[in-house]
Amino acid sequence: MEKLKKRSWAEPFKIKTVELLKMTTREERERALKESGYNTFLLKSEDVYIDLLTDSGTNAMSDYQWAGMMLGDEAYAGSKNFYNLEARVQQFYGYKYLVPTHQGRGAEHMISKILIKPGDFIPGNMYFTTTRLHQELAGGTFVDVIIDEAHDPTSLHPFKGNVDLQKLENLVKKVGAKKIPYISVAGTVNMAGGQPVSMENLRQVREFCKKHGIRVILDATRLIENAYFIKTREKEFENKSIAEVLLEMCSYSDGCTMSGKKDLLVNIGGFLALAEHEREVFEEARNMVVVYEGLHTYGGLAGRDMEAMARGIEEAVNLDHIRARIGQIEYVGEKLESIGIPIVMPVGGHAIFLDAKRFLPQLKQIEYPAQTLASEIYLDSGIRSMERGIVSAGRNKETGDHNFPKLELVRLTFPRRVYTQAHCDVTAEAVEAVYEKRNSIKGLKMVYEPKYLRFFQARFEKLA
Ligand code: PLI
C-alpha cells in the first residue's frame, strides 16, 4: 500500500451550530434569475445554495465573540465595549484615535469630507466602488496609481497591489502636491483580485509622501490578509507574527478606514482610526460622526457589535486562522487552474476571480461578460457570485460614458469560517460545468440603471 506522505492543514475550528440550506431546481433558479433582472444582488438569499457573493458581513462568529455579544453595554454614551474596541485598535493597528462607524463606507464618507476639497486628486492602488464614490461626492477625482501588472490577470507578480511610484510622481508633477490631500492605499486590493501590497512598497510610498507633505490613509479592510502575504512572500518577515507585520504596515500611514465586516470576523461594523499626530482630523471626525452615524462612542453600532469586533481582531491575527482562511482560497484556485479555467493569478486573499473576458471571448464588453457569467453559474448550481467588471466600474463622472475596465471579472468570494472543503469542490465543479458549455452562452443588455453604485440594483435582460 502506498503511504500518505502529504500533511494537510484543516480548519482550526469545529462546528457548533449549523444553518440549513435549501436546494432549488433549475426551473426555480431560472424564474428567480429572471425576477432579479439577472443581477445576483437582487436574488433572495433563500434561493441561493452556496453564497459566494461577498465576504462582507457574512462571516461566522466564534463562541468567544457570541459570548461577548451578551456583554453588550448599550449605554448611549461611554459604552465599555467602545473602550475595549479602542484598546484593541491601539494594540493591533497602532492608531491612537478611534471613531466607530456602522460600516466601512461611513468612515470613507467622513475622511473624504474632511480631507478633500473640490478640485483635489486622490491617488489610489486601484479604485474601490464606495471609496471612489465618496471621494467624488466630496469634489475629488480618483487617480489609479497601481502597477500595470495589476491590470493583467495573467501576471504572476507577487505584489500586484503595489503602488507605482512613477505614476504617483507623475501625478504630483502634473497637479502639484497641494492638490493631493492623501493617497488611499488598500490591503489585498479587491478589484485587482485580492492582490497584496508589499511592505517594501509601503515604505517607499511613505517616504515619497513624507517628502511631498501628502498623507497616507490605508483601507485596512483586508490588511490582516495582506499581512499574511507579506509574511509568506517577503523574506524579511518570515519569522514575524501577523500582529507584528500588521503594526508595521500601519506605522507607514496617518490613519485608516475599516470595514470590520471582512478581516474582523463580524456581521456589521467599521471605523475610522487616526495616528497620534492627527488629533485635529480626529476632532473633526469625532464631531462629524454625531451628524451622520451616532455618538462618537458608538457610531451607529450597538455595544454588542463593538464587543464582537474587538474580539474579532484578536482572532483575526491568529496565524492558524489566517493560514486556513487563505488556504481555502488557494485550494479552490488550484482546482480551477488545474482544469484550465481562466482565473486571476496569483490567487488573492478573499476570493477566486474568474476572467470573464477569456471565459466568454465571444461577448463584447458591453454585452456584460462578467454579469452574464455570474448569472450562468447561479443557473447551473444555485451558487451566487458577483460581477466585478464594466457594471461595477460605472460611468465617467465628466463624460457620462461607461468606464471600460481592463479587468472583467466574476468574484467567487469566500466568507470566513462558513463553508467546508466539500462546498469548495461543488463550486469548482459548477464552474467547470459552465465552462464546458461556454460557447453557447449569450450576453445581456442593461434595462435599468440606477444613478449611484449601479451594480447593486441594475437590471438586465438576455440578448436574443
Ligand atoms: O461595505 P462597507 O461599507 O463595510 O465597506 C466598504 C469597503 C471598503 N473597502 C473595501 C476594500 C471593500 O471591499 C469594501 C466593501 N466591500 C464589499 C461590500 C465587497 O463585497 O467586497
Side-chain angles (χ1 to χ4, degrees):
M1 204 176 82
E2 216 181 311
K3 272 208 177 130
L4 294 173
K5 286 208 197 74
K6 191 176 154 206
R7 301 300 299 261
S8 299
W9 55 264
E11 291 77 3
F13 55 80
K14 56 185 177 174
I15 296 166
K16 184 144 45 182
T17 303
V18 297
E19 178 182 338
L20 301 186
L21 297 175
K22 189 179 107 182
M23 310 289 279
T24 49
T25 63
R26 191 177 171 94
E27 288 67 39
E28 286 169 331
R29 293 194 292 277
E30 237 158 42
R31 197 175 332 121
L33 206 48
K34 220 179 229 169
E35 280 170 8
S36 63
Y38 295 86
N39 185 344
T40 52
F41 277 103
L42 299 177
L43 286 167
K44 288 183 184 150
S45 158
E46 65 171 4
D47 292 330
V48 173
Y49 171 39
I50 299 175
D51 202 346
L52 307 182
L53 182 72
T54 177
D55 63 331
S56 180
T58 50
N59 305 301
M61 293 209 295
S62 67
D63 50 359
Y64 176 61
Q65 288 176 292
W66 278 109
M69 296 284 278
M70 286 305 291
L71 302 177
D73 171 3
E74 307 307 341
Y76 190 90
S79 161
K80 68 179 176 205
N81 311 115
F82 166 79
Y83 295 106
N84 192 18
L85 177 62
E86 185 187 54
R88 291 295 154 271
V89 170
Q90 288 168 347
Q91 178 188 353
F92 289 102
Y93 290 89
Y95 302 117
K96 177 162 185 192
Y97 300 118
L98 172 74
V99 183
T101 57
H102 75 287
Q103 58 184 85
R105 69 199 72 180
E108 292 171 348
H109 174 211
M110 288 196 295
I111 200 69
S112 302
K113 247 179 136 66
I114 293 168
L115 295 181
I116 300 171
K117 292 187 299 303
D120 280 350
F121 295 85
I122 308 90
N125 54 347
M126 202 172 269
Y127 84 100
F128 183 71
T129 54
T130 57
T131 321
R132 183 180 64 188
L133 179 61
H134 281 296
Q135 291 164 355
E136 289 175 351
L137 290 172
T141 300
F142 166 81
V143 182
D144 190 0
V145 294
I146 204 166
I147 57 172
D148 287 339
E149 285 87 342
H151 295 279
D152 173 3
T154 62
S155 160
L156 293 176
H157 194 295
F159 290 103
K160 286 165 93 172
N162 280 355
V163 170
D164 185 328
L165 272 292
Q166 192 56 55
K167 287 184 190 173
L168 186 57
E169 190 172 345
N170 293 347
L171 180 69
V172 171
K173 277 194 187 136
K174 193 168 149 204
V175 305
K178 286 213 162 61
K179 283 214 169 298
I180 306 176
Y182 64 93
I183 177 171
S184 170
V185 182
T188 61
V189 180
N190 198 349
M191 304 302 278
Q195 303 294 330
V197 49
S198 71
M199 192 74 87
E200 187 193 8
N201 189 248
L202 281 174
R203 286 175 183 154
Q204 291 166 346
V205 169
R206 184 52 159 183
E207 201 181 304
F208 178 89
C209 287
K210 208 170 185 179
K211 219 165 61 194
H212 294 274
I214 298 170
R215 286 185 172 89
V216 178
I217 301 293
L218 294 177
D219 181 339
T221 297
R222 298 185 184 84
L223 212 57
I224 296 173
E225 288 170 1
N226 198 123
Y228 178 77
F229 286 115
I230 288 178
K231 181 177 164 64
T232 51
R233 292 181 188 174
E234 262 179 296
K235 186 109 188 71
E236 182 188 339
F237 297 95
E238 66 183 348
N239 295 319
K240 296 266 191 214
S241 69
I242 296 294
E244 286 169 319
V245 178
L246 179 66
L247 210 50
E248 183 172 339
M249 292 176 83
C250 294
S251 76
Y252 302 126
S253 73
D254 302 286
C256 79
T257 56
M258 165 64 92
S259 169
K261 301 170 74 174
K262 286 80 167 176
D263 261 359
L264 303 188
L265 300 165
V266 288
N267 304 120
I268 194 71
F271 55 77
L272 174 65
L274 292 153
E276 190 163 6
H277 60 270
E278 293 288 10
R279 187 170 177 98
E280 274 179 36
V281 177
F282 163 66
E283 293 288 2
E284 223 178 313
R286 184 163 68 159
N287 190 205
M288 191 180 280
V289 76
V290 191
V291 182
Y292 294 107
E293 306 270 324
L295 194 75
H296 56 272
T297 55
Y298 76 85
L301 295 171
R304 56 179 173 267
D305 297 325
M306 290 188 283
E307 187 60 31
M309 188 153 57
R311 291 175 179 225
I313 299 177
E314 292 171 44
E315 293 184 353
V317 297
N318 181 292
L319 181 61
D320 293 329
H321 158 71
I322 201 78
R323 184 196 288 124
R325 157 48 171 177
I326 293 176
Q328 188 174 55
I329 315 287
E330 284 168 351
Y331 174 81
V332 180
E334 277 164 23
K335 250 186 140 67
L336 290 175
E337 206 205 346
S338 73
I339 51 176
I341 307 284
I343 61 174
V344 174
M345 294 296 291
V347 166
H350 63 303
I352 301 296
F353 288 74
L354 304 175
D355 184 351
K357 278 188 183 172
R358 279 185 292 152
F359 202 115
L360 298 173
Q362 72 272 29
L363 300 191
K364 299 199 255 320
Q365 197 164 12
I366 198 63
E367 293 171 340
Y368 306 108
Q371 190 78 29
T372 303
L373 181 52
S375 65
E376 290 290 332
I377 291 170
Y378 173 74
L379 187 61
D380 177 85
S381 55
I383 294 171
R384 169 153 73 171
S385 57
M386 182 195 290
E387 192 261 13
R388 294 274 82 153
I390 182 171
V391 186
S392 296
R395 290 181 182 271
N396 182 294
K397 85 175 169 114
E398 305 298 333
T399 65
D401 294 337
H402 291 287
N403 291 317
F404 284 86
K406 284 208 183 102
L407 297 178
E408 180 70 28
L409 309 174
V410 168
R411 192 181 73 171
L412 298 162
T413 335
F414 287 78
R416 296 164 190 79
R417 310 192 291 204
V418 171
Y419 291 115
T420 65
Q421 195 153 315
H423 289 116
C424 292
D425 292 339
V426 167
T427 299
E429 288 158 22
V431 173
E432 184 181 24
V434 176
Y435 193 60
E436 274 166 7
K437 53 164 278 206
R438 64 192 180 278
N439 295 332
S440 66
I441 293 173
K442 301 250 183 340
L444 296 168
K445 64 175 179 201
M446 201 189 292
V447 294
Y448 168 68
E449 180 179 358
K451 188 166 165 203
Y452 300 114
L453 302 174
R454 64 183 185 177
F455 56 95
F456 283 129
Q457 291 147 345
R459 300 185 70 86
F460 301 83
E461 280 173 10
K462 261 247 122 353
L463 287 171

